[in-house]
Amino acid sequence: MTALYDILRDAKVTGAPTVEQLARLTPLLGNELHATLDSARVRRDADVLAHPDEKPAFADGDLFSSLFEGTTSAVPKAPGADAPVHRLVVRFRNDSVSPVVEWTDTVVVAMENGHWVVTDVRYAGNWPFANRGSLVASMQAVLHPPKYPSWQLELDGIGLGRVGMTVAAAERVLGPAKVERLEAGAVCGYANFAKLPAGVSFMVAGDTLVRANVSAQGVRTAEGLGVGSSEAEVRAAYGSRVTVEPHPYVGPVGHYLVVTDPSRPALLMIFETDGAKVTSFRAGRLPEVRLIEGCA
């Protein structure tokens, strides 16, 4: 895995790799990731020809980490037990910028054709304008934009609404908000934005989004989980990252399935169940994501 980042730095890869750069990277890339990167290169070159006075897609910036400027070092934590797929939490550093930036992303590696290759990178940078989501998904979103908006709950929000945004900032991408405080003058409340799907809201603390809530079918996670999914499906999707707790109201039959990400310890995703199926789920920052009744 570190060999990939050594080549990226040595070849000074920015944006989609060139034909020559991609050739150097090929032995270290999974088939889907390789094909997607090549498609991104084709798209960039086509944009340059069609619109020479405009900035093309995939023109610059590091695609393989959260930081636009890229990395100067990459140190992976040791993988767990042998498995066909490993999710390696990698500590990155860039000391060529001031101040120095350190962060962790998750690099997904898998066995293909008898050797280990990188298949995806899941970004975890939490600063403004950091890369979001994953390497493959972000490129596919540009290469094949959906006809209709895709709403997926992630650890730090949904759609363009993200934990840490002010309500005013979120209104610019999610439409006008109706904020309901639990009590007159209360700091805590819930915000419903015009463009959000039915059954989706944000908890707010003061003027800041702190968690996203989903109580209806239609919205799912990147793993395809949502209201109506089985407990078994949630456990299978997240493996050792999920902890089962009694539901505070309908336990011990019902449960909280609490999902963590080692690279983002300040965030959680919680699936509420009736013992068999997911009835609602939410994600956001601690401590608000764990609050049970309103903001208490």
Side-chain angles (χ1 to χ4, degrees), residues 223-293:
E223 294 76 15
L225 302 167
V227 172
S229 295
S230 69
E231 286 197 355
E233 289 172 325
V234 177
R235 295 185 193 187
Y238 297 109
S240 61
R241 292 173 53 200
V242 63
T243 301
V244 182
E245 301 177 0
H247 193 292
Y249 293 128
V250 298
V253 176
H255 300 112
Y256 271 10
L257 305 182
V258 182
V259 179
T260 60
D261 184 334
S263 67
R264 310 180 82 179
L267 301 170
L268 294 178
M269 185 176 292
I270 299 176
F271 295 86
E272 296 192 34
T273 82
D274 59 8
K277 302 287 186 179
V278 174
T279 56
S280 66
F281 59 117
R282 61 183 184 265
R285 75 183 193 188
L286 289 165
E288 291 89 352
V289 69
R290 276 197 169 274
L291 298 180
I292 297 171
E293 185 171 348

Side-chain angles (χ1 to χ4, degrees), residues 178-180 182 189-192 201-204 211 213 294-295:
K178 180 181 180 182
V179 179
E180 298 179 354
L182 295 189
Y190 289 87
N192 293 281
S201 65
F202 277 92
M203 177 184 282
V204 296
R211 98 181 189 200
N213 313 284
C295 297

Side-chain angles (χ1 to χ4, degrees), residues 9 33 88 107 137 167 196 200 217 230 264 285:
R9 287 191 295 271
L33 177 54
L88 302 178
V107 179
V167 172
L196 284 178
V200 178
Q217 292 186 338
S230 69
R264 310 180 82 179
R285 75 183 193 188

Side-chain angles (χ1 to χ4, degrees), residues 159-177:
L160 296 176
R162 296 289 153 174
V163 168
M165 276 185 169
T166 64
V167 172
E171 283 186 308
R172 289 195 286 271
V173 293
L174 297 176

